[in-house]
Amino acid sequence: MHGLAQPISAFLDELARQRVETAVFVFLDHGGEPLGWHRQSSDHPEVVTVRIRSVVNRALALEAAQVVMAHNHPSGDPEPSAADLRFTRQLATVLEALGIRLVDHLVLAPGGSVSFRARGLL
């Protein structure tokens, strides 16, 4: 896992600097090994629309046990919005019903990041 830390850090830094809102989902097995990922961008700088159904379908297709979500805030403020909180709670509930754990949702911006898990929001 140590060999992955550098590429993951670089990827998250690049995501934080995107000029349009972009969401990324990483699907993991029981041991935390990546099975696949999905990236969805928007044409709008402040909103990316993600359908819970598409995330769930991908998780099921990969037989994922865990999911990590990250998205950026081009505004520079990593504080989660009310919409971010709503979506995350809905996604976690649906995934949990299927036996899949939402490990974390990271909100990234050039000025910092927020972890839903660290804030006790998951």
Side-chain angles (χ1 to χ4, degrees):
M1 186 69 146
H2 295 293
L4 289 177
Q6 201 73 353
I8 290 171
S9 177
F11 175 78
L12 294 176
D13 287 344
E14 184 266 328
L15 179 60
R17 291 189 307 273
Q18 292 292 305
R19 293 180 185 224
V20 296
E21 196 158 304
T22 302
V24 175
F25 298 86
V26 179
F27 303 94
L28 310 166
D29 67 13
H30 286 284
E33 292 298 316
L35 299 168
W37 64 283
H38 174 72
R39 180 181 187 139
Q40 187 165 341
S41 295
S42 171
D43 292 334
H44 190 278
E46 300 298 322
V47 178
V48 62
T49 302
V50 176
R51 301 209 188 312
I52 288 176
R53 179 182 300 232
S54 66
V55 177
V56 170
N57 285 343
R58 183 82 169 132
L60 292 173
L62 292 169
E63 298 185 16
Q66 306 176 79
V67 176
V68 176
M69 176 184 181
H71 87 280
N72 66 320
H73 279 179
S75 67
D77 181 3
E79 284 302 313
S81 68
D84 293 339
L85 291 166
R86 240 183 344 270
F87 177 83
T88 303
R89 288 182 179 137
Q90 290 172 346
L91 179 61
T93 299
V94 171
L95 288 172
E96 184 179 325
L98 297 169
I100 302 169
R101 180 174 184 247
L102 182 59
V103 176
D104 206 346
H105 178 174
L106 305 170
V107 182
L108 309 168
S113 64
V114 171
S115 161
F116 275 58
R117 180 74 53 198
R119 288 254 178 110
L121 299 171
L122 274 177

